[in-house]
Amino acid sequence: LFSSAAVFCRGDRGNRNPRVRDLTSFYLGPAGGGARGGVSNALAAPVLFESVAEYPIAIILACALRPMVGKNVGKAADKAAVKDLVYPAVLAAVLLAAFLVPGFRIGTVAGWVLVIVMTYAAAAAFAMRTRPIRFALAIAVLFFAGGLASSAGIDVVEQRRTFFGIHKVVRNASENLFQLYNGMTLHGTQFSAADRLRVPTDYYYPGGPLGQVFAALKDADAGRRVAVIGLGAGATACYRRPGGDWVFFEIDSHVEALARDTRYFHFLDQCGGDTSVVLGDARLRGAEDWWGRTEGGRGPSDMTIPAAFRAAAVRARLLTLEAVAFYKGRLAPGGLILFHLSNRHMVLEPVAAALLQSADMAGLAQTHVPDPPRTGTRASLWVIGAETLGPLAAFSGDARWRRLVAPTKRPWTDDYWNFLESIKWK
C-alpha cells in the first residue's frame, strides 16, 4: 500500500507537466515535503505515537487526496456524498461484527476463511477507488480491522517507542510469563514462578547451543570475562558464575530499563550481580580503553557473544570483516566468539563462514531445534569461532556441531553487504 501510494503521488506530480518558468517551485515542493516528512517521522511521530501510526495515516491521507475519477452534479452528487460514508460503514460492520460476539477469538478462525474475507474486503475497497473520501475511509477500515485482529487476545502491559522500534511487554497469564517484543520479534521470555526466575529461555535456554557451550566449559567458569552484544531481557546473564566478569552492550536505553524492571523481568536482578550494561554502539563503546586492556581496566574477553541479531533483521555492522577483527583483537588466548544468527528471512551461516576464513579463524555451527518444542525454547542458529581448533576441541566431537562449509561468497565488510544472496527464497 505504501509503495503504491508513493508511486501514485509521484506519477500525479509528474503528469502536471510544469512550464519551464515553474520548474523551480515544481522541484522545491517535493523537496520541502520530503524534509517535512522526515522531520515528522524522526522527531514528531516518536513523541506523539506509541506505535507506527504515521504509516497508516500517511497512506489514508494519500488516498483521500487522489483526484476524483468522474464527477456528479446536483442530486447525483448528494447521493454520492452519502455513499462515501455508507459504503465504508457497511464494510466496517461486516469486518468488525465478529469481534462483538462474546468469547470470539480470531485465532480459532480457519486460515482459509480469513484469506477469503480479507480478499473480498480488499476488492470492495478497491472498487471504491474512484471516490477519494470513500476510498480513504475504506482503507482506514482495513487498517483498523487488521490491527484489531493482530492484537486480539494479546495483553500488552507496557509499550515504548524509541528510535530503534516499538518495544512491548506482553503478559501471558495462562503460562505465567512475560515476553519482550521488538515489533513482531520476540526478544525475551521470563517465567514468573520463583523456581524459574534464573532459567535462561528462548534462543538461550540450557538445552540449546549457548547452554551446551557453557556446560562444556563449566570447569573454567570462575573469573571468565564475557562480553555480550545485545541485552534483550537479559537471559544470558544467568550463565554468569560467581567471580565472572561480564559486560553487556545495548544500543537502546529503553531495553535496559525494561530488562531491569522487576515487575516483568528478573534475569539481571537475579543473575547479573554487578554486571555492567554499556549503552551505545558496541564497536564504538567497546573501542574504549577499558575493554581489551590488561592493566587498569577490563581485560580481554574469554568469550564474545554478538547476539544483537533479530529473527527479522540483520545488524550487518556486527557481521563484517572489521567487526570480526574487532572481536578477535579483544579476545584472550583461547577465547571464543559465539555468533547468534537466527533469522526468519536470511541464511547467515555462509556469511559467518566467509568472515571466519578471512580472519584466519576456525569455526563450527549448529542449527538447533528443541525436541520437543515447548514454551521458553526456540529454534536457533549459532556459529562458534576461535583462532585455532584447540579451543573448539570440546565441541568438535559433538555430533550436534558441524564444521563450516568452505565459503564461496565474498565476505561482508563495512562497505559491502550483499543481502540478496543470503535471502531464504524458499
Side-chain angles (χ1 to χ4, degrees), residues 71 113 127 182 284 346 421:
K71 297 183 179 179
V113 174
N182 178 267
L284 296 178
M346 304 187 74
E421 68 179 9

Side-chain angles (χ1 to χ4, degrees), residues 93-106 108 148:
V94 171
L95 292 179
L96 304 178
F99 292 96
L100 301 178
V101 178
F104 172 75
R105 300 279 183 181
I106 190 69
T108 63
L148 191 62

Side-chain angles (χ1 to χ4, degrees), residues 10-23 26-27:
R10 180 72 176 177
D12 181 65
R13 181 73 176 174
N15 289 335
R16 298 189 181 187
N17 296 321
R19 293 170 294 184
V20 173
R21 67 182 185 184
D22 296 326
L23 284 176
F26 176 78
Y27 288 111

Side-chain angles (χ1 to χ4, degrees), residues 1-16 59 61-69 129 132 135:
L1 282 176
F2 181 80
S3 298
S4 299
V7 170
F8 167 77
C9 292
R10 180 72 176 177
D12 181 65
R13 181 73 176 174
N15 289 335
R16 298 189 181 187
I59 293 176
L61 289 177
C63 293
L65 294 174
R66 70 188 305 271
M68 186 182 300
V69 179
R129 67 192 183 281
F135 185 47

Side-chain angles (χ1 to χ4, degrees), residues 213 217 301-304 324 327-329 331-339 352-353 355-365 383-396 401 403-404:
V213 170
L217 303 177
S301 57
D302 300 298
M303 188 182 298
T304 297
V324 172
Y327 308 144
K328 183 179 179 181
L331 275 184
L336 300 173
I337 305 175
L338 276 71
F339 295 95
L355 293 173
L356 292 177
Q357 183 184 70
S358 298
D360 196 24
M361 298 180 72
L364 299 172
V383 168
I384 309 179
E387 292 191 66
T388 65
L389 288 173
L392 302 178
F395 316 104
S396 57
W401 293 91
R403 296 288 294 270
L404 291 172

Side-chain angles (χ1 to χ4, degrees), residues 53-389:
E54 69 273 17
Y55 173 76
I57 289 174
I59 293 176
I60 292 168
L61 289 177
C63 293
L65 294 174
R66 70 188 305 271
M68 186 182 300
V69 179
K71 297 183 179 179
N72 303 107
V73 294
K75 293 183 179 180
D78 295 336
K79 290 181 179 180
V82 172
K83 291 178 181 178
D84 286 343
L85 301 177
V86 172
Y87 286 177
V90 172
L91 179 62
V94 171
L95 292 179
L96 304 178
F99 292 96
L100 301 178
V101 178
F104 172 75
R105 300 279 183 181
I106 190 69
T108 63
V109 180
W112 64 270
V113 174
L114 293 177
V115 171
I116 291 176
V117 170
M118 293 310 298
T119 299
Y120 274 99
F126 184 73
M128 304 181 200
R129 67 192 183 281
T130 59
R131 300 283 300 183
I133 299 300
R134 189 183 306 177
F135 185 47
L137 291 175
I139 295 297
V141 169
L142 295 184
F143 271 117
F144 183 78
L148 191 62
S150 63
S151 62
I154 299 177
D155 184 10
V156 179
V157 295
E158 186 160 349
Q159 180 166 305
R160 301 185 183 189
R161 176 173 178 171
T162 73
F163 176 82
F164 303 98
I166 310 295
H167 303 296
K168 294 183 290 188
V169 179
V170 175
R171 175 171 51 203
N172 186 329
S174 63
E175 298 279 358
N176 194 23
L177 57 82
F178 289 95
Q179 294 179 309
L180 176 63
Y181 283 85
N182 178 267
M184 300 294 291
T185 302
L186 180 63
H187 273 229
T189 297
Q190 174 75 74
F191 289 99
S192 299
D195 61 339
R196 306 184 75 175
L197 294 180
R198 300 171 62 90
V199 179
T201 54
D202 296 330
Y203 308 107
Y204 317 107
Y205 85 103
L210 185 65
Q212 297 167 23
V213 170
F214 279 101
L217 303 177
K218 62 182 178 181
D219 294 337
D221 270 346
R224 182 182 300 278
R225 292 191 177 102
V226 178
V228 184
I229 301 174
L231 175 62
T236 51
C238 287
Y239 287 109
R240 178 183 179 271
R241 296 293 176 261
D245 184 9
W246 283 51
V247 59
F248 282 92
F249 292 91
E250 174 54 52
I251 201 168
D252 193 338
S253 61
H254 288 268
V255 171
E256 181 190 4
L258 290 172
R260 292 191 182 280
D261 193 331
T262 53
R263 292 176 298 171
Y264 316 125
F265 304 107
H266 300 271
F267 296 122
L268 287 181
D269 175 62
Q270 294 284 320
C271 309
D274 58 355
T275 298
S276 303
V277 177
V278 179
L279 296 175
D281 181 279
R283 285 177 56 185
L284 296 178
R285 296 303 309 276
E288 296 177 358
D289 290 341
W290 55 268
W291 184 17
R293 289 175 56 182
T294 55
E295 299 179 2
R298 187 183 305 276
S301 57
D302 300 298
M303 188 182 298
T304 297
I305 308 176
F309 300 99
R310 306 190 323 184
V314 178
R315 306 295 191 212
R317 177 172 163 75
L318 301 178
L319 202 57
T320 65
L321 278 178
E322 292 83 353
V324 172
F326 175 82
Y327 308 144
K328 183 179 179 181
R330 284 161 178 76
L331 275 184
L336 300 173
I337 305 175
L338 276 71
F339 295 95
H340 177 210
L341 302 177
S342 306
N343 194 277
R344 289 197 296 266
H345 307 304
M346 304 187 74
V347 180
L348 296 177
E349 182 180 330
V351 176
L355 293 173
L356 292 177
Q357 183 184 70
S358 298
D360 196 24
M361 298 180 72
L364 299 172
Q366 180 180 160
T367 302
H368 177 80
V369 179
D371 185 21
R374 58 195 182 277
T375 304
T377 67
R378 291 181 72 82
S380 60
L381 168 64
W382 291 80
V383 168
I384 309 179
E387 292 191 66
T388 65
L389 288 173

